Amino acid sequence: QVQLVESGGGSVQAGGSLRLSCAASRLTCMGWFRQAPGKEREGVASLYTAIGRTYYADSVKGRFTISQDNAKNTLYLQMNSLNPEDTADYYCAAHNDFGECAYGLMRFPSYWGQGTQVTVSS
C-alpha cells in the first residue's frame, strides 16, 4: 500500500518561502497538486523520478522547485516568492506509470496524500 504523508505547510507573508515535504516510497511519477477555496484541484509540479525530468504549471515556473531525496524517501516542493494566489491546500501525489509524467505535468495520479494547508497573506 502506498502512503504519502505531507508536512511543511503553514502561514507566510507575501514574498516569503516555504518548503513542503512528502514522505513516500519512490514511485515512477511524483508530484504536487493544489486546491484553492472554490477552485478545482490543479497540478503544480511533477517529477519523472527515473531521470529527474520535471514539469511545472506556468503560474509557478521560476518560483517553485520539485526535488527528491532518495535516501530519505522524501519529495520536496520548495516554494519561493509566494503570493496570496498560492494560498491553497497542497497535495502530494504519485503514479506508477511513466506515461503520466514523462511528457508533461502529471494529471491523473493514482495515489494522494492527505494535504497540507498553505496560506499567504498580503
Side-chain angles (χ1 to χ4, degrees):
Q1 185 177 357
V2 176
Q3 288 188 318
L4 308 175
V5 181
E6 302 98 332
S7 61
S11 298
V12 65
Q13 288 191 327
S17 299
L18 282 174
R19 188 177 76 162
L20 306 183
S21 300
C22 174
S25 299
R26 191 178 87 164
L27 296 182
T28 303
C29 295
M30 301 199 73
W32 294 92
F33 286 68
R34 68 184 181 185
Q35 187 167 18
K39 295 188 177 181
E40 292 187 355
R41 192 172 296 188
E42 62 174 352
V44 174
S46 59
L47 171 67
Y48 180 13
T49 59
I51 59 174
R53 182 180 297 171
T54 58
Y55 290 96
Y56 296 93
D58 288 342
S59 58
V60 306
K61 279 180 183 176
R63 300 189 297 122
F64 290 12
T65 302
I66 187 172
S67 63
Q68 61 180 341
D69 184 330
N70 293 330
K72 296 181 179 180
N73 285 337
T74 302
L75 181 75
Y76 299 104
L77 184 67
Q78 178 66 44
M79 306 186 293
N80 298 328
S81 301
L82 286 162
N83 57 63
E85 290 70 39
D86 296 316
T87 295
D89 292 325
Y90 283 72
Y91 298 87
C92 181
H95 199 290
N96 231 1
D97 183 347
F98 79 95
E100 264 297 313
C101 63
Y103 312 111
L105 202 59
M106 183 165 51
R107 294 193 301 160
F108 304 111
S110 297
Y111 307 101
W112 294 92
Q114 82 286 353
T116 186
Q117 189 173 54
V118 172
T119 303
V120 185
S121 58
S122 56

